[in-house]
Amino acid sequence: MRAIELADLGRAYGERVALAGVTLTVQEGETLAVFGANGAGKTTLLRILATLLRPHHGSAKVLGHELPREGWAVRGKIGFLGHDPLLYRDLTARENLQFHARLHGVRFERVDAVLDAVGMSARADDPVHTFSRGMLQRTAVARAVLHEPQLLLLDEPLAGLDPGAAALIDPLIGGGTRVVISHDPTFRGDLALGLRGGKVAFCERGATVDDVRALYA
Amino acid sequence: MRRAIGALIRKDLILQRRTPEAAPAMVLFSIGTFVLFHFALDEREVSGNLASGILWVTLLFAAVLGINRLFVAEREEGGFDGFLLAPVDRTSMLVAKATVLFLFLCAVEVFVLAAFAILLLGPSLQPALVVVLLLANAGIAVIGTLVAALAIQTRARDLLVPLLAIPLSVPLVIAAARACAPLLTEGGAGALEARWLAVLGLYDLVFGLLAYAIFDFLLEE
Amino acid sequence: MFGRGLKTLSLITVALIVGAFALVFFYAPNDADQGFIQKIFYLHVPLAIVALFGFVAGGIYGIRYLRSGDRLHDLRSYVAIHLSLILAVGALVTGSIWARGSWGVWWTWDEPTLVSFLIVFLLYACYQPLRFSIEDPERQARYAAVFAIVAGAFVPLNFTAVRMAESLVHPRVLSTTGGSMPGEMRLTFIVSLLGMACLFVTLWKYELASKHATFRLRSLKRKLANADDGFTPNPRRSAAPTL
């Protein structure tokens, strides 16, 4: 089954075109790796897929549903991890996750399970504003996978994590269908999308490290 | 939708308990304003129209403080995105926030009215005031949530909230102040006039339905 | 696309306005109590009525924008509210002059229409600042539409509340709705009102045509300049809608 189908997808902010002409298909279980310099349109693409932004041009189909018309059917099936951890700073990690569990209709046992999985059980009852960058990221990952999403949208998921924490997170965010924004040229996906100035520089299965490096040149 | 509203209200109440910002500020602001009125008017005691006017202007300005803070956590800590990613009805945000603002106003008014009775008011407080307060609070809660949601994504949030909220609440203040005036009159309270309650009810109804219909558009990106 | 029929409309407007002024000065009788100053009524009341309809029209185009997402509706709403705001200032100034002429004061709280107008004016005066403080044009249009709808619903509610607050305490000083106007006055008033309404529609259409043409020109210029090159965004922020 096709998890993501984009045809000539575009988005503008006023007159500034942030993304244009993205056409690709991601099969279920595959990883789409997105590369590009700052401002290349990576985040815009991710937010469109997460139903947080409306596409202005072309069409986007996620998990078999047309965006933005059927966005309601997609929400709840995607796990989104952006720059922002999307956690309230004055709530504890557990309260934050319980809040999201209520919104998603997930049982509270699952909250303890994911907190344990990201190694945050010991600090679960501390307010989020006392967390370090890495702990924040781990809690954010726990939030993103809380409702066992079918599709993960990840913006540099390992940013700010030490190798130990990265190893802990990896099984949680690996395996399923994913879109991963990365700045690591050696990162391998089934399909690689390179963006430059909102336009597609390459979109192929066999992109090399040199292809990716050329984006930042 | 009930599930989402419950989650949002609960979250806001926990946040407010942990870092009490808005409600205590609203109470302190109101008391400070009463002191100002005492000196500015050079009155030891007020009653009737004057008392009613002082009370409602003070309450409205205090409400503006709360309205300003209503969505700050959502905007600055990613609450909007987190909420929009969940498979819930977006109108639940309106219902939850209006309920929270309503509860805040009720809690604040308990203290503010006590302070008003001690500091400025001549006659004693009448229980019938509660009806006016509840109806007016509902209106302020609805219009406040709308204004806060309109202003939160703009650059000039702190300016726009009072600029929008004050003209929009003129009918509310007219009705609430006129309804309260006979209750605050010296020497035996007058009757509550039904037509002012009707205006308050109409205001709540019109803006409640309107907010329900258009709130979604303020959340979309 | 906005230019069609504009010439005819302009001619009708000029004819109606000239006719209205002729009627006001040479046909309508002087008011028995107030004398000549009462004739400002033929300017003040049409200004107020047309401005109110303009505000409500802005709200209706706001609804249409939210339903369709068509930016032209946003432009229509914007221009309607902008023009109405100017007329509202006119109504306030003429009302104030009238109050001075008749009662010797620049402002009177006994006239609910005038008071309501001040409140409505204060609310709509926030429309431009609201638009200006939102950078993303799509969001700007959406929020402006929400504002236009809320404010459009507020206008009648506000008039009801203010009228109840003022007119039940004091007797109405004069009836502006024209229930007991003599025939000559009524005819003059109707022609003035029609003239003002036509003036509003004409100006609205001119402004729409002008804005639309400007956008078209800009987009064509951009195409010429940037045929191969990247894109340079407009550096200036604006409260006006962009297409």
mmCIF file of all heavy atoms in Angstrom, chain B residues 150 153-155 160 163-164 167-168 170-171 174 178 195 199 202-203 207 217-218 220-221, chain C residues 66 119 123 126 130 133-135 139 142-143 146-147 150 153-154 157 161 164-165 168 237:
data_model
loop_
_atom_site.group_PDB
_atom_site.id
_atom_site.type_symbol
_atom_site.label_atom_id
_atom_site.label_comp_id
_atom_site.label_asym_id
_atom_site.label_seq_id
_atom_site.Cartn_x
_atom_site.Cartn_y
_atom_site.Cartn_z
ATOM 1 N N LEU B 150 -7.934 35.626 18.302
ATOM 2 C CA LEU B 150 -7.642 36.514 17.175
ATOM 3 C C LEU B 150 -6.283 37.178 17.353
ATOM 4 O O LEU B 150 -5.503 37.295 16.413
ATOM 5 C CB LEU B 150 -8.694 37.616 17.102
ATOM 6 C CG LEU B 150 -9.775 37.589 16.047
ATOM 7 C CD1 LEU B 150 -10.671 38.785 16.219
ATOM 8 C CD2 LEU B 150 -9.194 37.588 14.655
ATOM 9 N N GLN B 153 -1.966 35.311 17.572
ATOM 10 C CA GLN B 153 -1.022 35.042 16.483
ATOM 11 C C GLN B 153 -0.525 36.314 15.816
ATOM 12 O O GLN B 153 0.152 36.246 14.803
ATOM 13 C CB GLN B 153 -1.686 34.167 15.414
ATOM 14 C CG GLN B 153 -2.270 32.884 15.940
ATOM 15 C CD GLN B 153 -1.231 31.792 16.130
ATOM 16 O OE1 GLN B 153 -0.042 32.069 16.175
ATOM 17 N NE2 GLN B 153 -1.678 30.561 16.245
ATOM 18 N N THR B 154 -0.882 37.473 16.358
ATOM 19 C CA THR B 154 -0.449 38.710 15.721
ATOM 20 C C THR B 154 0.743 39.276 16.466
ATOM 21 O O THR B 154 1.074 38.830 17.552
ATOM 22 C CB THR B 154 -1.576 39.756 15.747
ATOM 23 O OG1 THR B 154 -1.805 40.116 17.112
ATOM 24 C CG2 THR B 154 -2.849 39.199 15.173
ATOM 25 N N ARG B 155 1.347 40.275 15.853
ATOM 26 C CA ARG B 155 2.519 40.875 16.475
ATOM 27 C C ARG B 155 2.141 41.775 17.631
ATOM 28 O O ARG B 155 2.928 41.984 18.533
ATOM 29 C CB ARG B 155 3.248 41.729 15.439
ATOM 30 C CG ARG B 155 4.006 40.923 14.456
ATOM 31 C CD ARG B 155 4.681 41.876 13.529
ATOM 32 N NE ARG B 155 5.871 41.263 12.958
ATOM 33 C CZ ARG B 155 6.881 41.965 12.502
ATOM 34 N NH1 ARG B 155 6.850 43.274 12.586
ATOM 35 N NH2 ARG B 155 7.911 41.368 11.969
ATOM 36 N N LEU B 160 -3.880 44.727 20.824
ATOM 37 C CA LEU B 160 -5.142 44.403 20.168
ATOM 38 C C LEU B 160 -6.186 43.888 21.146
ATOM 39 O O LEU B 160 -7.369 44.167 20.982
ATOM 40 C CB LEU B 160 -4.907 43.366 19.067
ATOM 41 C CG LEU B 160 -4.361 43.943 17.772
ATOM 42 C CD1 LEU B 160 -3.992 42.839 16.811
ATOM 43 C CD2 LEU B 160 -5.381 44.866 17.135
ATOM 44 N N LEU B 163 -7.999 46.774 22.769
ATOM 45 C CA LEU B 163 -8.650 47.583 21.736
ATOM 46 C C LEU B 163 -9.885 46.885 21.179
ATOM 47 O O LEU B 163 -10.879 47.520 20.841
ATOM 48 C CB LEU B 163 -7.672 47.885 20.597
ATOM 49 C CG LEU B 163 -6.695 49.018 20.844
ATOM 50 C CD1 LEU B 163 -5.819 49.238 19.631
ATOM 51 C CD2 LEU B 163 -7.450 50.289 21.174
ATOM 52 N N LEU B 164 -9.816 45.566 21.043
ATOM 53 C CA LEU B 164 -10.963 44.822 20.516
ATOM 54 C C LEU B 164 -11.976 44.526 21.606
ATOM 55 O O LEU B 164 -13.181 44.603 21.390
ATOM 56 C CB LEU B 164 -10.500 43.496 19.902
ATOM 57 C CG LEU B 164 -9.689 43.566 18.619
ATOM 58 C CD1 LEU B 164 -9.123 42.203 18.275
ATOM 59 C CD2 LEU B 164 -10.564 44.051 17.481
ATOM 60 N N PRO B 167 -14.595 47.826 22.954
ATOM 61 C CA PRO B 167 -15.839 48.129 22.229
ATOM 62 C C PRO B 167 -16.799 46.937 22.174
ATOM 63 O O PRO B 167 -17.998 47.113 22.314
ATOM 64 C CB PRO B 167 -15.361 48.497 20.822
ATOM 65 C CG PRO B 167 -13.911 48.584 20.853
ATOM 66 C CD PRO B 167 -13.405 48.002 22.116
ATOM 67 N N LEU B 168 -16.248 45.737 22.025
ATOM 68 C CA LEU B 168 -17.125 44.570 21.904
ATOM 69 C C LEU B 168 -17.928 44.333 23.171
ATOM 70 O O LEU B 168 -19.016 43.768 23.120
ATOM 71 C CB LEU B 168 -16.310 43.314 21.579
ATOM 72 C CG LEU B 168 -15.929 43.109 20.118
ATOM 73 C CD1 LEU B 168 -15.030 41.910 19.970
ATOM 74 C CD2 LEU B 168 -17.171 42.935 19.254
ATOM 75 N N VAL B 170 -19.117 46.689 25.164
ATOM 76 C CA VAL B 170 -19.981 47.815 25.564
ATOM 77 C C VAL B 170 -21.417 47.367 25.847
ATOM 78 O O VAL B 170 -21.956 47.681 26.915
ATOM 79 C CB VAL B 170 -19.937 48.947 24.511
ATOM 80 C CG1 VAL B 170 -21.042 49.947 24.751
ATOM 81 C CG2 VAL B 170 -18.600 49.653 24.561
ATOM 82 N N PRO B 171 -22.063 46.594 24.951
ATOM 83 C CA PRO B 171 -23.441 46.176 25.270
ATOM 84 C C PRO B 171 -23.509 45.383 26.571
ATOM 85 O O PRO B 171 -24.449 45.540 27.357
ATOM 86 C CB PRO B 171 -23.826 45.291 24.085
ATOM 87 C CG PRO B 171 -22.901 45.647 22.996
ATOM 88 C CD PRO B 171 -21.634 46.092 23.636
ATOM 89 N N ILE B 174 -23.199 47.853 29.449
ATOM 90 C CA ILE B 174 -24.453 48.607 29.584
ATOM 91 C C ILE B 174 -25.455 47.761 30.367
ATOM 92 O O ILE B 174 -25.999 48.186 31.392
ATOM 93 C CB ILE B 174 -25.053 48.944 28.202
ATOM 94 C CG1 ILE B 174 -24.192 49.985 27.483
ATOM 95 C CG2 ILE B 174 -26.482 49.477 28.351
ATOM 96 C CD1 ILE B 174 -24.669 50.269 26.073
ATOM 97 N N ARG B 178 -26.471 48.474 34.281
ATOM 98 C CA ARG B 178 -27.849 48.909 34.531
ATOM 99 C C ARG B 178 -28.591 47.907 35.407
ATOM 100 O O ARG B 178 -29.416 48.266 36.231
ATOM 101 C CB ARG B 178 -28.612 49.086 33.222
ATOM 102 C CG ARG B 178 -28.078 50.196 32.365
ATOM 103 C CD ARG B 178 -28.355 51.555 33.001
ATOM 104 N NE ARG B 178 -27.520 52.568 32.422
ATOM 105 C CZ ARG B 178 -27.965 53.470 31.531
ATOM 106 N NH1 ARG B 178 -29.211 53.483 31.176
ATOM 107 N NH2 ARG B 178 -27.138 54.357 31.028
ATOM 108 N N ARG B 195 -35.371 43.130 31.573
ATOM 109 C CA ARG B 195 -34.912 43.419 30.205
ATOM 110 C C ARG B 195 -33.388 43.457 30.096
ATOM 111 O O ARG B 195 -32.831 43.092 29.075
ATOM 112 C CB ARG B 195 -35.535 44.694 29.668
ATOM 113 C CG ARG B 195 -35.186 45.926 30.431
ATOM 114 C CD ARG B 195 -36.121 47.042 30.009
ATOM 115 N NE ARG B 195 -35.956 48.186 30.862
ATOM 116 C CZ ARG B 195 -35.257 49.269 30.501
ATOM 117 N NH1 ARG B 195 -34.685 49.325 29.340
ATOM 118 N NH2 ARG B 195 -35.134 50.273 31.332
ATOM 119 N N VAL B 199 -30.998 41.262 27.641
ATOM 120 C CA VAL B 199 -29.907 41.724 26.778
ATOM 121 C C VAL B 199 -28.658 40.875 27.017
ATOM 122 O O VAL B 199 -27.991 40.433 26.067
ATOM 123 C CB VAL B 199 -29.592 43.218 27.023
ATOM 124 C CG1 VAL B 199 -28.364 43.637 26.241
ATOM 125 C CG2 VAL B 199 -30.776 44.076 26.624
ATOM 126 N N LEU B 202 -29.171 37.514 25.444
ATOM 127 C CA LEU B 202 -29.100 37.601 23.984
ATOM 128 C C LEU B 202 -27.651 37.716 23.526
ATOM 129 O O LEU B 202 -27.224 37.057 22.570
ATOM 130 C CB LEU B 202 -29.907 38.822 23.519
ATOM 131 C CG LEU B 202 -29.991 39.036 22.006
ATOM 132 C CD1 LEU B 202 -30.850 37.949 21.385
ATOM 133 C CD2 LEU B 202 -30.558 40.408 21.673
ATOM 134 N N TYR B 203 -26.895 38.546 24.242
ATOM 135 C CA TYR B 203 -25.485 38.731 23.915
ATOM 136 C C TYR B 203 -24.744 37.394 24.009
ATOM 137 O O TYR B 203 -24.011 37.005 23.096
ATOM 138 C CB TYR B 203 -24.890 39.736 24.903
ATOM 139 C CG TYR B 203 -23.484 40.170 24.623
ATOM 140 C CD1 TYR B 203 -23.223 41.311 23.886
ATOM 141 C CD2 TYR B 203 -22.404 39.449 25.109
ATOM 142 C CE1 TYR B 203 -21.934 41.728 23.646
ATOM 143 C CE2 TYR B 203 -21.109 39.851 24.862
ATOM 144 C CZ TYR B 203 -20.884 40.985 24.138
ATOM 145 O OH TYR B 203 -19.597 41.380 23.893
ATOM 146 N N PHE B 207 -23.179 35.680 20.534
ATOM 147 C CA PHE B 207 -21.740 35.494 20.372
ATOM 148 C C PHE B 207 -21.316 34.055 20.650
ATOM 149 O O PHE B 207 -20.330 33.584 20.084
ATOM 150 C CB PHE B 207 -20.969 36.497 21.223
ATOM 151 C CG PHE B 207 -20.960 37.853 20.597
ATOM 152 C CD1 PHE B 207 -21.693 38.888 21.121
ATOM 153 C CD2 PHE B 207 -20.246 38.081 19.430
ATOM 154 C CE1 PHE B 207 -21.709 40.129 20.525
ATOM 155 C CE2 PHE B 207 -20.258 39.313 18.823
ATOM 156 C CZ PHE B 207 -20.996 40.341 19.378
ATOM 157 N N PHE B 217 -11.657 28.481 12.264
ATOM 158 C CA PHE B 217 -10.818 29.199 11.306
ATOM 159 C C PHE B 217 -9.649 29.902 11.977
ATOM 160 O O PHE B 217 -8.682 30.257 11.334
ATOM 161 C CB PHE B 217 -11.657 30.222 10.538
ATOM 162 C CG PHE B 217 -12.681 29.577 9.668
ATOM 163 C CD1 PHE B 217 -14.012 29.557 10.030
ATOM 164 C CD2 PHE B 217 -12.309 28.964 8.485
ATOM 165 C CE1 PHE B 217 -14.957 28.953 9.236
ATOM 166 C CE2 PHE B 217 -13.250 28.359 7.676
ATOM 167 C CZ PHE B 217 -14.572 28.348 8.055
ATOM 168 N N LEU B 218 -9.763 30.129 13.287
ATOM 169 C CA LEU B 218 -8.669 30.802 13.978
ATOM 170 C C LEU B 218 -7.547 29.833 14.330
ATOM 171 O O LEU B 218 -6.445 30.252 14.653
ATOM 172 C CB LEU B 218 -9.187 31.462 15.264
ATOM 173 C CG LEU B 218 -10.163 32.600 15.049
ATOM 174 C CD1 LEU B 218 -10.670 33.116 16.373
ATOM 175 C CD2 LEU B 218 -9.493 33.723 14.282
ATOM 176 N N GLU B 220 -6.659 27.014 12.330
ATOM 177 C CA GLU B 220 -6.013 26.491 11.145
ATOM 178 C C GLU B 220 -4.771 27.292 10.799
ATOM 179 O O GLU B 220 -4.701 28.467 11.076
ATOM 180 C CB GLU B 220 -6.976 26.681 9.982
ATOM 181 C CG GLU B 220 -7.250 25.465 9.201
ATOM 182 C CD GLU B 220 -8.335 25.807 8.222
ATOM 183 O OE1 GLU B 220 -8.030 26.559 7.302
ATOM 184 O OE2 GLU B 220 -9.468 25.361 8.417
ATOM 185 N N GLU B 221 -3.803 26.613 10.160
ATOM 186 C CA GLU B 221 -2.665 27.395 9.697
ATOM 187 C C GLU B 221 -2.649 27.497 8.204
ATOM 188 O O GLU B 221 -3.142 26.624 7.531
ATOM 189 C CB GLU B 221 -1.369 26.785 10.175
ATOM 190 C CG GLU B 221 -0.836 27.553 11.362
ATOM 191 C CD GLU B 221 0.572 27.147 11.708
ATOM 192 O OE1 GLU B 221 1.505 27.652 11.092
ATOM 193 O OE2 GLU B 221 0.700 26.313 12.602
ATOM 194 N N LEU C 66 -14.541 32.754 3.980
ATOM 195 C CA LEU C 66 -14.256 31.560 4.778
ATOM 196 C C LEU C 66 -14.840 30.312 4.125
ATOM 197 O O LEU C 66 -14.268 29.225 4.206
ATOM 198 C CB LEU C 66 -14.829 31.717 6.190
ATOM 199 C CG LEU C 66 -14.112 32.727 7.084
ATOM 200 C CD1 LEU C 66 -14.726 32.733 8.461
ATOM 201 C CD2 LEU C 66 -12.620 32.437 7.172
ATOM 202 N N ILE C 119 -19.084 53.795 19.124
ATOM 203 C CA ILE C 119 -18.623 52.480 19.577
ATOM 204 C C ILE C 119 -18.247 51.608 18.377
ATOM 205 O O ILE C 119 -17.190 50.974 18.346
ATOM 206 C CB ILE C 119 -19.716 51.807 20.435
ATOM 207 C CG1 ILE C 119 -20.010 52.660 21.670
ATOM 208 C CG2 ILE C 119 -19.293 50.421 20.840
ATOM 209 C CD1 ILE C 119 -21.315 52.325 22.335
ATOM 210 N N LEU C 123 -14.543 50.035 17.304
ATOM 211 C CA LEU C 123 -14.279 48.627 17.014
ATOM 212 C C LEU C 123 -13.632 48.467 15.643
ATOM 213 O O LEU C 123 -12.591 47.826 15.502
ATOM 214 C CB LEU C 123 -15.582 47.834 17.095
ATOM 215 C CG LEU C 123 -15.440 46.349 16.802
ATOM 216 C CD1 LEU C 123 -14.535 45.685 17.817
ATOM 217 C CD2 LEU C 123 -16.797 45.674 16.798
ATOM 218 N N CYS C 126 -9.985 49.066 14.712
ATOM 219 C CA CYS C 126 -8.969 48.037 14.966
ATOM 220 C C CYS C 126 -8.763 47.120 13.767
ATOM 221 O O CYS C 126 -7.861 46.276 13.788
ATOM 222 C CB CYS C 126 -9.367 47.161 16.146
ATOM 223 S SG CYS C 126 -9.603 48.035 17.657
ATOM 224 N N LEU C 130 -5.244 45.190 13.070
ATOM 225 C CA LEU C 130 -5.274 43.728 13.157
ATOM 226 C C LEU C 130 -4.658 43.120 11.901
ATOM 227 O O LEU C 130 -3.783 42.261 11.970
ATOM 228 C CB LEU C 130 -6.713 43.232 13.315
ATOM 229 C CG LEU C 130 -6.862 41.717 13.269
ATOM 230 C CD1 LEU C 130 -6.359 41.088 14.551
ATOM 231 C CD2 LEU C 130 -8.298 41.301 13.020
ATOM 232 N N SER C 133 -0.859 43.578 11.649
ATOM 233 C CA SER C 133 0.032 42.858 12.557
ATOM 234 C C SER C 133 0.068 41.357 12.259
ATOM 235 O O SER C 133 0.631 40.609 13.035
ATOM 236 C CB SER C 133 -0.365 43.119 14.003
ATOM 237 O OG SER C 133 -1.647 42.617 14.230
ATOM 238 N N ILE C 134 -0.499 40.925 11.161
ATOM 239 C CA ILE C 134 -0.403 39.519 10.765
ATOM 240 C C ILE C 134 0.379 39.448 9.462
ATOM 241 O O ILE C 134 0.011 40.089 8.485
ATOM 242 C CB ILE C 134 -1.792 38.894 10.584
ATOM 243 C CG1 ILE C 134 -2.596 39.039 11.871
ATOM 244 C CG2 ILE C 134 -1.667 37.433 10.198
ATOM 245 C CD1 ILE C 134 -4.018 38.603 11.749
ATOM 246 N N GLU C 135 1.458 38.689 9.468
ATOM 247 C CA GLU C 135 2.329 38.715 8.294
ATOM 248 C C GLU C 135 1.885 37.767 7.191
ATOM 249 O O GLU C 135 1.893 38.117 6.028
ATOM 250 C CB GLU C 135 3.761 38.385 8.705
ATOM 251 C CG GLU C 135 4.470 39.582 9.267
ATOM 252 C CD GLU C 135 5.526 39.179 10.257
ATOM 253 O OE1 GLU C 135 6.312 38.287 9.953
ATOM 254 O OE2 GLU C 135 5.545 39.761 11.357
ATOM 255 N N ARG C 139 -3.347 33.867 6.538
ATOM 256 C CA ARG C 139 -3.873 34.016 7.898
ATOM 257 C C ARG C 139 -4.502 35.392 8.065
ATOM 258 O O ARG C 139 -5.540 35.539 8.696
ATOM 259 C CB ARG C 139 -2.744 33.819 8.905
ATOM 260 C CG ARG C 139 -3.149 34.210 10.293
ATOM 261 C CD ARG C 139 -2.132 33.822 11.292
ATOM 262 N NE ARG C 139 -2.017 32.380 11.371
ATOM 263 C CZ ARG C 139 -1.233 31.754 12.213
ATOM 264 N NH1 ARG C 139 -0.507 32.440 13.030
ATOM 265 N NH2 ARG C 139 -1.171 30.455 12.240
ATOM 266 N N ARG C 142 -7.904 35.287 6.698
ATOM 267 C CA ARG C 142 -8.792 34.462 7.506
ATOM 268 C C ARG C 142 -9.188 35.190 8.791
ATOM 269 O O ARG C 142 -10.361 35.242 9.156
ATOM 270 C CB ARG C 142 -8.094 33.141 7.822
ATOM 271 C CG ARG C 142 -9.003 32.014 8.085
ATOM 272 C CD ARG C 142 -8.428 30.678 7.614
ATOM 273 N NE ARG C 142 -6.990 30.591 7.581
ATOM 274 C CZ ARG C 142 -6.227 30.391 8.645
ATOM 275 N NH1 ARG C 142 -6.759 30.298 9.833
ATOM 276 N NH2 ARG C 142 -4.919 30.296 8.512
ATOM 277 N N TYR C 143 -8.202 35.767 9.466
ATOM 278 C CA TYR C 143 -8.497 36.455 10.722
ATOM 279 C C TYR C 143 -9.338 37.698 10.464
ATOM 280 O O TYR C 143 -10.235 38.016 11.241
ATOM 281 C CB TYR C 143 -7.190 36.819 11.436
ATOM 282 C CG TYR C 143 -6.603 35.672 12.217
ATOM 283 C CD1 TYR C 143 -6.661 34.371 11.719
ATOM 284 C CD2 TYR C 143 -6.006 35.858 13.449
ATOM 285 C CE1 TYR C 143 -6.137 33.315 12.427
ATOM 286 C CE2 TYR C 143 -5.474 34.797 14.167
ATOM 287 C CZ TYR C 143 -5.542 33.536 13.646
ATOM 288 O OH TYR C 143 -5.027 32.481 14.349
ATOM 289 N N VAL C 146 -12.855 36.638 10.107
ATOM 290 C CA VAL C 146 -13.466 36.334 11.405
ATOM 291 C C VAL C 146 -13.837 37.634 12.121
ATOM 292 O O VAL C 146 -14.940 37.783 12.646
ATOM 293 C CB VAL C 146 -12.508 35.488 12.277
ATOM 294 C CG1 VAL C 146 -13.003 35.433 13.713
ATOM 295 C CG2 VAL C 146 -12.398 34.081 11.714
ATOM 296 N N PHE C 147 -12.920 38.596 12.084
ATOM 297 C CA PHE C 147 -13.205 39.890 12.701
ATOM 298 C C PHE C 147 -14.429 40.530 12.051
ATOM 299 O O PHE C 147 -15.331 41.017 12.734
ATOM 300 C CB PHE C 147 -11.996 40.823 12.553
ATOM 301 C CG PHE C 147 -12.250 42.218 13.050
ATOM 302 C CD1 PHE C 147 -11.937 42.566 14.347
ATOM 303 C CD2 PHE C 147 -12.809 43.177 12.220
ATOM 304 C CE1 PHE C 147 -12.178 43.846 14.809
ATOM 305 C CE2 PHE C 147 -13.065 44.455 12.679
ATOM 306 C CZ PHE C 147 -12.736 44.789 13.977
ATOM 307 N N VAL C 150 -17.654 38.810 13.236
ATOM 308 C CA VAL C 150 -17.995 39.112 14.631
ATOM 309 C C VAL C 150 -18.480 40.559 14.744
ATOM 310 O O VAL C 150 -19.518 40.842 15.359
ATOM 311 C CB VAL C 150 -16.777 38.885 15.551
ATOM 312 C CG1 VAL C 150 -17.063 39.385 16.951
ATOM 313 C CG2 VAL C 150 -16.418 37.413 15.594
ATOM 314 N N ALA C 153 -21.931 41.158 13.298
ATOM 315 C CA ALA C 153 -23.015 40.731 14.182
ATOM 316 C C ALA C 153 -23.140 41.672 15.373
ATOM 317 O O ALA C 153 -24.222 41.850 15.931
ATOM 318 C CB ALA C 153 -22.756 39.310 14.679
ATOM 319 N N PHE C 154 -22.029 42.291 15.728
ATOM 320 C CA PHE C 154 -22.013 43.188 16.883
ATOM 321 C C PHE C 154 -22.813 44.466 16.607
ATOM 322 O O PHE C 154 -23.473 44.989 17.505
ATOM 323 C CB PHE C 154 -20.559 43.525 17.214
ATOM 324 C CG PHE C 154 -20.395 44.614 18.220
ATOM 325 C CD1 PHE C 154 -20.518 44.348 19.571
ATOM 326 C CD2 PHE C 154 -20.108 45.905 17.827
ATOM 327 C CE1 PHE C 154 -20.362 45.342 20.499
ATOM 328 C CE2 PHE C 154 -19.953 46.908 18.740
ATOM 329 C CZ PHE C 154 -20.074 46.629 20.092
ATOM 330 N N LEU C 157 -26.569 44.403 17.516
ATOM 331 C CA LEU C 157 -26.705 44.139 18.953
ATOM 332 C C LEU C 157 -26.360 45.393 19.751
ATOM 333 O O LEU C 157 -27.042 45.761 20.715
ATOM 334 C CB LEU C 157 -25.767 42.997 19.329
ATOM 335 C CG LEU C 157 -26.111 42.216 20.583
ATOM 336 C CD1 LEU C 157 -27.427 41.498 20.400
ATOM 337 C CD2 LEU C 157 -25.011 41.217 20.880
ATOM 338 N N ALA C 161 -28.695 47.663 22.333
ATOM 339 C CA ALA C 161 -28.330 47.898 23.730
ATOM 340 C C ALA C 161 -28.230 49.392 24.027
ATOM 341 O O ALA C 161 -28.755 49.870 25.045
ATOM 342 C CB ALA C 161 -27.022 47.197 24.057
ATOM 343 N N MET C 164 -31.642 51.051 24.079
ATOM 344 C CA MET C 164 -32.358 50.736 25.312
ATOM 345 C C MET C 164 -31.829 51.567 26.473
ATOM 346 O O MET C 164 -32.580 52.018 27.329
ATOM 347 C CB MET C 164 -32.183 49.254 25.661
ATOM 348 C CG MET C 164 -33.155 48.352 24.961
ATOM 349 S SD MET C 164 -32.803 46.643 25.356
ATOM 350 C CE MET C 164 -33.530 46.522 26.974
ATOM 351 N N ALA C 165 -30.508 51.755 26.487
ATOM 352 C CA ALA C 165 -29.903 52.460 27.613
ATOM 353 C C ALA C 165 -30.255 53.937 27.591
ATOM 354 O O ALA C 165 -30.455 54.546 28.637
ATOM 355 C CB ALA C 165 -28.390 52.277 27.585
ATOM 356 N N LEU C 168 -34.856 55.143 26.629
ATOM 357 C CA LEU C 168 -35.928 54.898 27.576
ATOM 358 C C LEU C 168 -35.845 55.846 28.761
ATOM 359 O O LEU C 168 -36.791 56.011 29.503
ATOM 360 C CB LEU C 168 -35.886 53.441 28.051
ATOM 361 C CG LEU C 168 -36.189 52.452 26.930
ATOM 362 C CD1 LEU C 168 -36.009 51.034 27.403
ATOM 363 C CD2 LEU C 168 -37.598 52.659 26.393
ATOM 364 N N ARG C 237 5.426 45.234 4.494
ATOM 365 C CA ARG C 237 4.224 44.607 5.023
ATOM 366 C C ARG C 237 3.057 45.504 4.700
ATOM 367 O O ARG C 237 3.196 46.708 4.572
ATOM 368 C CB ARG C 237 4.328 44.475 6.543
ATOM 369 C CG ARG C 237 4.923 43.188 6.969
ATOM 370 C CD ARG C 237 4.540 42.876 8.386
ATOM 371 N NE ARG C 237 5.031 43.873 9.316
ATOM 372 C CZ ARG C 237 4.437 44.116 10.467
ATOM 373 N NH1 ARG C 237 3.344 43.477 10.792
ATOM 374 N NH2 ARG C 237 4.934 45.004 11.285
#
